[in-house]
């Protein structure tokens, strides 16, 4: 069991807003394009896993968008998180992530924030905090 826990902690984690339709769409997008099954772990922001793995002082100011905790423990948000994930997806997406990463971070964050401000109008609020996924992918999700 401890070996499994260590393995899970050494993976990249994607924390998402469980009440956001755009976040659910992003999680489904990533799960369909992961280079291997459970290449990422997923958990809702504010969930047990988030509170157990991200220090309270680090949680302050993260907002309610997607947050990536790298296998090295670094926390990435907004544009940096999106680029990080994209560069770890399958062929084609890695290259696109590299090209998009040429956009200056300040501009990338501004675009991210614009979409985030309008996400509730663009995407319907989900019924549950976990996206509906095939059984084989459910093991990639933590509470």
């Amino acid at each position: 069991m401890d070996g499994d826990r260590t393995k899970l902690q050494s993976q990249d984690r994607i924390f998402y807003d469980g009440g956001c339709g755009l976040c659910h769409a992003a999680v489904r997008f990533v799960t369909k394009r992961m280079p291997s099954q459970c290449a990422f772990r997923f958990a809702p922001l504010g969930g047990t896993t988030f509170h157990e793995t991200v220090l309270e002082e680090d949680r302050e100011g993260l907002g309610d968008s997607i947050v990536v905790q790298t296998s090295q423990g670094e926390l990435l948000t907004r544009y940096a998180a999106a680029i990080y994930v994209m560069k770890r997806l399958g062929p084609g997406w890695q290259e696109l992530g590299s090209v998009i990463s040429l956009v200056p971070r300040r501009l990338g964050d501004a675009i991210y924030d614009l979409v985030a401000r309008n996400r509730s109008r663009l995407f319907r609020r989900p019924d549950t905090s976990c996206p509906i996924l095939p059984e084989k992918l459910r093991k990639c999700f933590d509470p």
Side-chain angles (χ1 to χ4, degrees):
M1 178 76 170
D2 286 339
D4 289 340
R5 185 162 175 77
T6 302
K7 179 181 176 192
L8 295 180
Q9 289 177 335
S10 68
Q11 284 185 288
D12 293 329
R13 291 182 186 273
I14 298 175
F15 296 106
Y16 60 94
D17 178 359
C20 169
L22 176 57
C23 294
H24 278 236
V27 167
R28 286 191 302 275
F29 177 88
V30 171
T31 58
K32 288 182 182 178
R33 291 159 182 85
M34 289 189 296
S36 63
Q37 196 170 9
C38 293
F40 292 98
R41 303 290 309 164
F42 300 88
L45 285 167
T48 306
T49 303
F50 183 69
H51 286 282
E52 289 178 354
T53 59
V54 178
L55 298 173
E56 184 175 352
E57 59 265 18
D58 292 336
R59 290 192 303 259
E60 294 174 14
L62 288 179
D64 60 355
S65 67
I66 290 181
V67 175
V68 172
Q69 183 181 44
T70 69
S71 57
Q72 293 79 32
E74 181 181 7
L75 292 175
L76 304 172
T77 60
R78 301 162 62 202
Y79 174 69
I83 294 300
Y84 184 88
V85 170
M86 191 175 285
K87 286 183 173 182
R88 280 153 184 77
L89 297 179
W93 296 107
Q94 297 163 342
E95 291 79 8
L96 181 60
S98 293
V99 170
I100 294 173
S101 70
L102 298 174
V103 172
R105 181 158 183 178
R106 184 178 290 216
L107 177 59
D109 279 344
I111 293 168
Y112 184 97
D113 291 343
L114 177 67
V115 172
R117 276 193 306 273
N118 294 293
R119 64 189 174 161
S120 63
R121 283 180 265 182
L122 301 171
F123 294 86
R124 173 176 83 74
R125 186 171 179 81
D127 296 329
T128 65
S129 64
C130 289
I132 306 292
L133 297 166
E135 183 69 37
K136 67 181 182 175
L137 290 175
R138 290 182 192 160
K139 67 182 178 184
C140 304
F141 284 75
D142 298 319

